[in-house]
Amino acid sequence: MFIPTLERQCTSEQREKFLPLCYDYRIIGTYAQTELGHGTFLRGLETTAHYDPNTQEFILNSPTISSIKWWPGALGKTSTHAVVLAQLYTLGKCHGIHPFVVQLRSLDDHKPLRGITVGDIGPKMGFGPNDNGYLKLHKHRIPRTNMLMKYSQVSPDGTYTKPPRSTLTYGTMTFVRVLIVHGSAIALAKASTIAIRYSAVRRQSELRPGEPEPQILSYPTQQHKLFPLLATAYAFHFVQLAMMKIYTDVNDQINNSNFSRIQELHALSSGLKAFTSWVTNAGLEVCRMSCGGHGYSQASGFPRLYADFTPSCTYEGENTVLMLQSARYLVKCVRDARSGKTLPGTVSYLSEDVSAVHSGGSSGRDLSNLDFLISLYKQRASNQVHFASDKVDRGISAGMDLVGALNSASVHLVSAAKAHSHYFIAKTFVESLKLLKASSELQNVLHQLASVYVFEGIAQSSGDFIEDYILSGSEAKTIRQLAVDLLPLIRVNAVSLVDAFSFRDEVLQSVLGRYDGNVYENLFKWAQNSPLNKTDVHPSYHKYLGPLLKRNQSKL
Ligand SMILES: CCCCCCCC/C=C\CCCCCCCCCCCC(=O)SCCNC(=O)CCNC(=O)[C@H](O)C(C)(C)COP(=O)(O)OP(=O)(O)OC[C@H]1O[C@@H](n2cnc3c(N)ncnc32)[C@H](O)[C@@H]1OP(=O)(O)O
Ligand SMILES: Cc1cc2nc3c(=O)[nH]c(=O)nc-3n(C[C@H](O)[C@H](O)[C@H](O)COP(=O)(O)OP(=O)(O)OC[C@H]3O[C@@H](n4cnc5c(N)ncnc54)[C@H](O)[C@@H]3O)c2cc1C
């Protein structure tokens, strides 16, 4: 995050000064924003940067215990520099959060500089090799030119020039949220690869006396666990491509001082980051548990995959908070639509009158038609957004201010943002396949995946569709059965569909997911290499177990 921030927030002179040092690994940096007391509420960050016009320097300080920077990756022992987000003060006035480049350690002996107290925050659930750290600043001085001044400036005499948009400072977070959508796709693809390959190798139970034990991948329940997740990994692959395209387009506009889509990008990236990481996080556990006992072994790769992925739901914007950010924008769009404004592409459906399109229960509707079902996802999203928006309006009519009304409706707002994200993902998956240049055989297989994703998505949220009369109960049951009917068809290509992700064994890091399927021999080999097996009799025997056993044997 250090380099993307410099690339986005530096003036051209600052780029020339800092970026070559980064690209040549002459300096290593981190993004120091979160503090002990604040991670979400950025306007509440307490680190200060006071401008001293006499020396043309900023004095950075951690005024309270809660202001100590806490969590930044590689801050503890590795980074020589940091982008520090601090409250800017100049000429006696506070101008809010701004980014500053701060050198933390000497480039000669790597020791912390004067005024810098830095270290590792201690062991975590995962990311063991990453020295997430703390940083306490004590009246540490940096040159005026170390404030990243692309969007806002402080002149030598201390005069402040404000940015065209205060939220441009948040640009790196948006970029990383877009990356996390990609990270979700990759993590779920890895977990699906491990679980499906292992399920093709593992044989268990005797369905009928004398019959060979079947591959567990042949059990409908195993298929029902894994194939919707496999389809989700493909869905997330296509949605991260679409998200990155939108990000790149909007970022190009921002670089040309066109900020018209910055809110739409923030809302979409927030919703997709939260939705994909939540679904992936839960999916990793389903994949692990589908592998039985061996799934719980470090040899499976699942413990590390889960421990390293699960913070994706927290960092770069805690998921609930980001869903609320997305919903806040959707409510704003409903109002804009009601006042006749044209809505941007990803939310234009909110100005359509979808309620008249479908009414649940009418017979003869083709429930296997994906285009039709995507229109139901659209109706569900529109209904949820309008319902939540109406809640906000009623709160305001009851005398609440906007913040109070938004907070009071926040449970429904999160549901609305989830439905909006789900619609975007399902629609993108189906539309991406239409544009794909592929053989009819491949199109058929991918259509099966898109179908099971769409069907299962409705089945798992059928309450939403039934409550709003989008589907009747019997139609929801039919769609649930359509998903189950597809499972044996997907079974035929399941291993090929995970092989298509092309994870090398060295990357997958899983004995269960080995490409050659040679699991048992390699599990035994892996176990024999376990540190506890360096000696037949562990040294602890002589200290504890031996004396205990001997003492008790003498009593026999
Ligand atoms: C380089 C090539 C790579 C190749 C690809 C590699 C493949 C990828 C595979 C794997 C990658 C895995 C992922 C990468 C690794 C990830 C490591 C990350 C480590 C973690 C780093 C961090 O955690 S950094 C710290 C993150 N912290 C946060 O996110 C803080 C969250 N909080 C906030 O953003 C804000 O506090 C808030 C938005 C929640 C609240 O802000 P505020 O209090 O001001 O409230 P408002 O709601 O009133 O907001 C005011 C106004 O601002 C708008 N806004 C807010 N944020 C943004 C934004 N980001 N952009 C635009 N606009 C924003 C908001 O909508 C409001 O607007 P209104 O018009 O007033 O409504
Ligand atoms: C592995 C890891 C790496 C990290 N790397 C970095 C890094 O490199 N740089 C950096 O600056 N930070 C980093 N962070 C910090 C991370 O960005 C924050 O932890 C994250 O933004 C969440 O903020 P928080 O911890 O204050 O959670 P909180 O905001 O305190 O969340 C706690 C609970 O409060 C709820 N909540 C908070 N606000 C609201 C609200 N307005 N409405 C409703 N509910 C709310 C949340 O939903 C959540 O359930 C990292 C964190 C982790 C775990």
Side-chain angles (χ1 to χ4, degrees):
M1 292 186 69
F2 181 72
I3 294 177
T5 303
L6 296 179
E7 289 170 338
R8 284 162 179 72
Q9 313 266 349
C10 279
T11 62
S12 49
E13 295 79 14
Q14 290 174 325
R15 290 172 62 90
E16 283 169 27
K17 174 182 174 187
F18 292 121
L19 285 176
L21 299 174
C22 301
Y23 297 145
D24 298 346
Y25 283 92
R26 282 181 278 161
I27 66 173
I28 294 179
T30 183
Y31 182 83
Q33 175 177 287
T34 301
E35 297 172 355
L36 255 177
H38 292 95
T40 290
F41 184 49
L42 299 187
R43 287 183 290 124
L45 292 175
E46 298 174 85
T47 302
T48 56
H50 285 83
Y51 183 64
D52 178 353
N54 300 317
T55 62
Q56 295 192 26
E57 293 173 318
F58 287 102
I59 305 162
L60 274 87
N61 201 41
S62 307
T64 60
I65 181 79
S66 52
S67 68
I68 295 174
K69 292 298 180 186
W70 199 271
W71 274 114
L75 172 61
K77 313 307 283 185
T78 307
S79 295
T80 59
H81 290 69
V83 165
V84 174
L85 283 294
Q87 301 283 359
L88 164 63
Y89 288 82
T90 177
L91 304 183
K93 191 169 182 307
C94 179
H95 297 281
I97 294 295
H98 287 71
F100 301 84
V101 175
V102 179
Q103 183 171 346
L104 307 171
R105 294 175 178 271
S106 156
L107 295 181
D108 297 324
D109 61 12
H110 206 58
K111 287 184 178 166
L113 301 182
R114 189 159 56 92
I116 300 281
T117 305
V118 68
D120 181 74
I121 63 170
K124 308 170 290 286
M125 179 176 175
F127 273 133
N130 193 323
D131 51 316
N132 297 84
Y134 61 80
L135 167 63
K136 192 174 187 313
L137 297 149
H138 180 67
K139 298 185 174 57
H140 182 73
R141 287 179 172 265
I142 61 173
R144 179 185 68 88
T145 51
N146 274 34
M147 171 181 156
L148 302 187
M149 295 202 204
K150 179 175 179 179
Y151 294 117
S152 52
Q153 298 81 31
V154 171
S155 63
D157 67 358
T159 306
Y160 175 72
T161 306
K162 68 178 189 175
R165 287 283 193 295
S166 61
T167 53
L168 286 166
T169 306
Y170 295 163
T172 303
M173 291 186 279
T174 301
F175 172 61
V176 176
R177 289 164 189 161
V178 170
L179 286 188
I180 291 171
V181 176
H182 191 166
S184 299
I186 290 173
L188 194 53
K190 283 182 175 177
S192 301
T193 301
I194 297 168
I196 287 172
R197 282 181 178 167
Y198 177 69
S199 297
V201 171
R202 181 71 168 181
R203 292 179 174 275
Q204 197 65 204
S205 302
E206 184 185 52
L207 276 183
R208 296 180 189 83
E211 280 189 357
E213 291 187 76
Q215 293 162 295
I216 58 176
L217 196 57
S218 301
Y219 289 118
T221 50
Q222 189 80 353
Q223 295 171 5
H224 188 245
K225 289 173 192 172
L226 298 180
F227 294 169
L229 289 173
L230 171 61
T232 302
Y234 273 80
F236 288 0
H237 166 76
F238 288 109
V239 86
Q240 64 85 11
L241 290 174
M243 179 71 257
M244 183 55 85
K245 171 82 172 55
I246 292 169
Y247 173 80
T248 308
D249 292 349
V250 175
N251 212 48
D252 289 346
Q253 290 172 6
I254 291 170
N255 288 336
N256 291 310
S257 301
N258 171 359
F259 306 110
S260 59
R261 293 186 66 193
I262 196 169
Q263 283 300 305
E264 181 195 6
L265 174 64
H266 169 49
L268 184 66
S269 58
S270 295
L272 291 184
K273 180 269 184 187
F275 188 96
T276 60
S277 58
W278 261 333
V279 167
T280 296
N281 193 60
L284 298 187
E285 272 294 83
V286 171
C287 288
R288 173 187 68 82
M289 288 184 271
S290 77
C291 294
H294 299 327
Y296 190 68
S297 165
Q298 291 283 0
S300 70
F302 282 120
R304 177 163 184 187
L305 182 58
Y306 183 85
D308 284 358
F309 180 83
T310 194
S312 301
C313 299
T314 305
Y315 61 44
E316 216 52 75
E318 199 281 327
N319 279 1
T320 301
V321 169
L322 291 186
M323 280 295 186
L324 289 170
Q325 283 292 303
S326 184
R328 175 188 173 127
Y329 174 72
L330 297 173
V331 167
K332 183 171 168 292
C333 291
V334 167
R335 295 195 171 154
D336 288 349
R338 284 175 179 154
S339 61
K341 287 183 185 170
T342 302
L343 299 181
T346 57
V347 290
S348 56
Y349 72 96
L350 293 173
S351 54
E352 296 171 24
D353 179 9
V354 290
S355 57
V357 176
H358 307 292
S359 57
S362 54
S363 60
R365 304 198 295 178
D366 180 358
L367 298 176
S368 67
N369 179 289
L370 295 190
D371 290 332
F372 169 67
L373 294 179
I374 295 302
S375 73
L376 301 189
Y377 273 81
K378 172 166 71 172
Q379 185 177 352
R380 172 231 190 168
S382 181
N383 288 6
Q384 296 260 345
V385 172
H386 283 90
F387 176 79
S389 180
D390 292 347
K391 278 276 181 192
V392 174
D393 291 344
R394 281 201 291 279
I396 292 170
S397 306
M400 295 180 197
D401 63 3
L402 177 60
V403 172
L406 284 167
N407 197 43
S408 165
S410 53
V411 171
H412 302 296
L413 287 169
V414 170
S415 301
K418 283 178 181 175
H420 169 72
S421 303
H422 201 180
Y423 165 53
F424 183 88
I425 293 166
K427 179 165 72 76
T428 301
F429 193 5
V430 172
E431 288 174 355
S432 299
L433 297 189
K434 289 175 182 170
L435 300 173
L436 212 57
K437 291 181 178 49
S439 66
S440 57
E441 294 86 353
L442 181 53
Q443 282 285 4
N444 180 47
V445 173
L446 292 173
H447 186 268
Q448 289 171 354
L449 283 185
S451 300
V452 80
Y453 181 76
V454 169
F455 296 161
E456 194 62 19
I458 292 174
Q460 289 179 14
S461 306
S462 59
D464 288 357
F465 293 85
I466 294 170
E467 283 167 20
D468 280 347
Y469 304 101
I470 299 169
L471 284 170
S472 67
S474 63
E475 287 178 316
K477 271 186 188 301
T478 301
I479 291 169
R480 188 183 299 278
Q481 185 57 48
L482 285 173
V484 174
D485 294 344
L486 267 178
L487 298 176
L489 302 181
I490 293 172
R491 166 72 182 85
V492 174
N493 299 295
V495 174
S496 303
L497 283 165
V498 296
D499 287 352
F501 293 130
S502 305
F503 291 117
R504 296 169 52 91
D505 284 351
E506 299 88 334
V507 170
L508 208 52
Q509 291 284 307
S510 168
V511 176
L512 306 190
R514 291 173 58 91
Y515 185 75
D516 65 8
N518 195 0
V519 171
Y520 294 148
E521 287 76 2
N522 284 285
L523 262 183
F524 187 52
K525 201 182 292 178
W526 185 87
Q528 287 176 302
N529 290 330
S530 167
L532 274 176
N533 295 325
K534 279 197 170 43
T535 58
D536 276 336
V537 177
H538 193 271
S540 61
Y541 170 81
H542 304 293
K543 286 179 71 174
Y544 306 108
L545 211 52
L548 172 75
L549 292 172
K550 286 188 171 53
R551 189 169 56 248
N552 291 339
Q553 273 155 13
S554 64
K555 291 175 187 167
L556 292 177

